Amino acid sequence: LYVSAVPASGAAVRGIRVNEDSFTIQLRDAGGGHHSFRKSELKELRRLQGETPMPSYEVRIAGADLDDLVAYLAGLKGTP
């Protein structure tokens, strides 16, 4: 689950939830860093439904090139 945690003192951290219980949450950010927060010390905790840390390649790869890339990757299936 992709989440955003805003500590009472500090900048927002976005990352993948690694672990969560009633009192704490641990995240891994895009750079691989680990963050642990006490929920009582957060200003805000949001679940980012429909968002992903994966960048969109929609404007970077043309339709035909994307089709070729998918075909190539599908052709690797089963290749050691």
Side-chain angles (χ1 to χ4, degrees), residues 19-57:
N19 190 33
E20 181 176 9
D21 60 30
S22 298
F23 305 102
T24 63
I25 186 166
Q26 292 77 41
L27 309 176
R28 186 177 64 241
D29 65 25
H34 292 273
H35 305 269
S36 183
F37 301 101
R38 290 190 167 279
K39 288 181 177 179
S40 62
E41 297 173 357
L42 291 177
K43 188 183 330 180
E44 180 180 23
L45 178 62
R46 292 186 304 131
R47 277 93 175 138
L48 303 173
Q49 300 293 334
E51 293 188 39
T52 176
M54 180 70 178
S56 173
Y57 289 94

